[in-house]
Amino acid sequence: MTEPYAVPVPRGYRVGAWEVRAPLATGAFGSVYEGRYTGTDGRLPRTVALKFLPTGTSTPRRLAHLQDLVEREVELYRRLRHPRLIRMYETLTVDDPDRPVLDGATVLVLERAEGSLAALLARTPRPERGPALLAQIVEGLHQLHAAGWVHGDLKPANVLLMRDGSVRLGDFNMAAELEGTHAYTPAFSTPDYTPPELLWSEIGERGRRIRPSADVWAFGVLAHLVLTHTLPLPGATPTARRDAAVAYARGTDPLRLSPGLPEPWQDIVRDCLTRTHAERLGSGALLRRVRAATGTGPAPGRRRPSRRTTALAAAAATVAAAVLGYGVSTWAGDGGAGDDRKAAPASASLTPAARYGASELRTGKGVPAAYRLLIVETARDCDREGVTSALIAAMLKVESDFDPDLSDPAKDEYGIARWTPSVLRWWMHEDGTPGETVPAPPFPPAESIPAMGRYLCWIAPRLDRTLPGDPRLLIAAAYRTSYRKVNDAGGVPPKYADYAARVAHYLKEYTPPGRT
């Protein structure tokens, strides 16, 4: 060990079924060691990274601060599992009163990386595979943002390189979940990767307000460093570069990118490093631009259709045919068995569309045949408990009575799923990319129903599992309000009790016998 470790742990130390083997890295608040698995569970890897965070000692103030950082990181690991995010296997607490420095420490058992981008750049400035690495970094960034999180501390040390050469983002103790357009993070960051608006921002009781655009700025700095071996703002010290960032943001100094920055990247980096957050690229647009520049993915607007895209295209065609042939917009009954008689001619009940997914969505109970394929495929695309075809159908019934032309300007809600345009923007694309502009109604069912499914699938794991009541109704209530309000209320908020009761009625109607 060539430098003092924040949490010194001797070789051979045991915590749970893991044995400490060798030091890997350290930071101001924690230290990482290679760990070896000594148990018998074949599902766990033999070698991991053990991240020790000293949450059991120090002064109460320091303890509270460290505990907050740990909770942020653990919460993200527990909720998110994406290919470009480092994986967590379990968390442990050290019980060792004879070692006060370790006693009570939290240990994160993480996927083992081979190194970091920081170490690679120290050995090999401007690495040949730099553009490909940047493409994977922005994939991870987009996965975070699409899931509703901000990293808050993107820098080379927090970009991890795996044995197969792939990239993972790690070190999420500054990460925070978005609350609308903002999140709140501790007032710590690396100055060279901090956007100008945060250099003088006020610090409130909950920390510093941060937007996803802060990560986009950090990516612009990181990309410039990887491709040119220089930082984009001048100065021999972090303080000097911070002052340069402030001068640039105030318009007194221009942004002078390195002439060594490859041409396709000049516009990308410039659009990441804009003076104000509002001008910066979103991570979805950034991903498309980087993929186009590196040839690592489809060019913008040329996404290859997946199996599910093809199925939903067929569903859209079914909807269109039904609208033209049977007048879908006239279906507006009370959801009883009699609705099918006015929904379409008798022959419609014999079509494949009307029978599709019969084991998941009851036929003959008022769900328009034209929407069955969309509803069933949307539910199948989500692996979260509670997000079922019957739930989606019941919610569509309560939201709009299956009216694709619903328009409620007073509430700013439109279409079969009663979407607010500014919210639909975040859920309208299959690849999780938010729309670059707010969509304008009308919203066709082929767009609205899958977007509802994606939103419900995002809501489900964020609800407190200890809440009483039917999880499906909790999901429905959260769609109407928010998962936070449902969690805070300890169940369906009283204001939405009638809504949940109506969804429960149709949920029972639409669920096939023998299914729950």
Side-chain angles (χ1 to χ4, degrees):
M1 203 179 298
T2 59
E3 59 180 307
Y5 265 46
V7 187
V9 185
R11 181 184 178 92
Y13 190 80
R14 297 284 293 271
V15 54
W18 305 94
E19 179 182 86
V20 172
R21 303 296 295 170
L24 296 176
T26 191
F29 304 117
S31 300
V32 183
Y33 295 82
E34 179 183 292
R36 183 173 66 88
Y37 183 56
T38 61
T40 58
D41 188 342
R43 296 171 298 177
L44 292 172
R46 303 302 299 176
T47 304
V48 296
L50 300 176
K51 185 172 183 177
F52 284 77
L53 297 158
T55 53
T57 57
S58 302
T59 65
R61 182 173 179 178
R62 177 175 170 82
L63 174 59
H65 164 70
L66 291 173
Q67 190 65 48
D68 176 62
L69 297 181
V70 172
E71 288 174 357
R72 287 172 179 275
E73 187 159 13
V74 170
E75 185 71 7
L76 185 144
Y77 282 129
R78 283 177 176 167
R79 289 197 192 174
L80 305 186
R81 184 163 294 184
H82 292 289
R84 297 293 175 220
L85 309 182
I86 205 76
R87 182 179 179 185
M88 182 179 76
Y89 299 106
E90 65 174 320
T91 62
L92 301 163
T93 302
V94 176
D95 182 12
D96 192 349
D98 293 335
R99 293 179 181 269
V101 174
L102 288 177
D103 189 38
T106 298
V107 182
L108 310 185
V109 182
L110 304 170
E111 190 175 12
R112 169 78 157 89
E114 287 298 299
S116 70
L117 180 60
L120 173 64
L121 295 177
R123 295 192 309 270
T124 312
R126 288 186 293 183
E128 185 177 349
R129 59 189 178 122
L133 296 177
L134 290 171
Q136 294 184 57
I137 292 167
V138 80
E139 284 176 6
L141 201 59
H142 179 58
Q143 288 167 4
L144 268 180
H145 291 181
W149 288 74
V150 178
H151 189 286
D153 195 22
L154 182 66
K155 58 185 179 182
N158 293 339
V159 175
L160 303 178
L161 307 181
M162 311 308 289
R163 176 171 293 182
D164 63 1
S166 63
V167 165
R168 304 281 193 279
L169 300 188
D171 201 344
F172 299 112
N173 52 33
M174 299 295 177
E177 189 171 16
L178 287 168
E179 301 175 20
T181 60
H182 291 79
Y184 294 87
T185 64
F188 296 97
S189 59
T190 305
D192 279 330
Y193 298 87
T194 302
E197 67 269 14
L198 294 186
L199 292 174
W200 59 76
S201 63
E202 294 184 4
I203 310 300
E205 290 184 2
R206 300 182 60 193
R208 182 169 57 188
R209 282 161 56 101
I210 189 173
R211 302 175 180 88
S213 58
D215 288 342
V216 173
W217 171 281
F219 176 81
V221 176
L222 189 149
H224 194 279
L225 177 65
V226 168
L227 298 172
T228 71
H229 192 47
T230 62
L231 293 166
L233 293 162
T237 65
T239 299
R241 292 190 291 271
R242 181 195 62 197
D243 293 342
V246 172
Y248 163 63
R250 290 175 176 169
T252 56
D253 286 349
L255 180 65
R256 297 185 180 92
L257 300 180
S258 168
L261 188 64
E263 186 174 348
W265 285 90
Q266 290 178 14
D267 288 341
I268 293 174
V269 171
R270 195 175 300 278
D271 288 343
C272 290
L273 303 180
T274 59
R275 286 189 167 96
T276 68
H277 71 86
E279 299 173 281
R280 273 170 224 147
L281 291 169
S283 61
L286 176 59
L287 176 60
R288 292 192 292 272
R289 296 265 298 274
V290 169
R291 281 177 168 173
T294 58
T296 55
R302 299 290 300 277
R303 200 170 66 220
R304 182 183 300 169
S306 65
R307 178 187 62 79
R308 181 174 176 276
T309 302
T310 304
L312 292 184
T318 303
V319 172
V323 170
L324 293 173
Y326 302 123
V328 171
S329 63
T330 65
W331 289 332
D334 62 3
D339 281 357
D340 282 349
R341 291 194 295 273
K342 57 186 176 183
S347 60
S349 64
L350 303 177
T351 65
R355 296 194 304 269
Y356 189 81
S359 64
E360 301 162 59
L361 187 60
R362 196 173 182 181
T363 59
K365 285 294 182 179
V367 179
Y371 302 140
R372 295 188 66 89
L373 181 58
L374 274 169
I375 291 169
V376 173
E377 284 294 321
T378 293
R380 287 176 178 175
D381 200 46
C382 177
D383 60 359
R384 302 296 187 181
E385 183 179 358
V387 180
T388 65
S389 300
L391 174 65
I392 293 171
M395 291 179 62
L396 292 172
K397 174 64 179 177
V398 174
E399 291 287 348
S400 69
D401 206 14
F402 296 111
D403 181 1
D405 300 318
L406 180 142
S407 179
D408 190 348
K411 294 183 178 178
D412 196 25
E413 295 175 344
Y414 305 90
I416 194 169
R418 273 192 173 268
W419 277 109
T420 297
S422 60
V423 180
L424 176 60
R425 171 182 174 239
W426 293 91
W427 306 101
M428 61 192 297
H429 293 155
E430 181 187 0
D431 66 355
T433 303
E436 294 185 30
T437 59
V438 175
F443 303 135
E447 179 179 90
S448 295
I449 295 174
M452 172 187 266
R454 286 189 283 272
Y455 190 27
L456 298 181
C457 202
W458 181 84
I459 287 171
R462 288 164 170 75
L463 289 168
D464 186 342
R465 293 186 179 183
T466 65
L467 295 178
D470 188 331
R472 297 170 297 179
L473 299 184
L474 298 173
I475 293 171
Y479 180 83
R480 259 291 105 201
T481 172
S482 74
Y483 77 89
R484 289 183 181 279
K485 290 186 179 179
V486 172
N487 287 341
D488 291 344
V492 175
K495 181 178 178 180
Y496 301 96
D498 179 65
Y499 174 86
R502 293 173 63 205
V503 171
H505 169 77
Y506 292 112
L507 188 56
K508 184 177 180 181
E509 286 279 306
Y510 299 155
T511 301
R515 294 182 70 98
T516 57

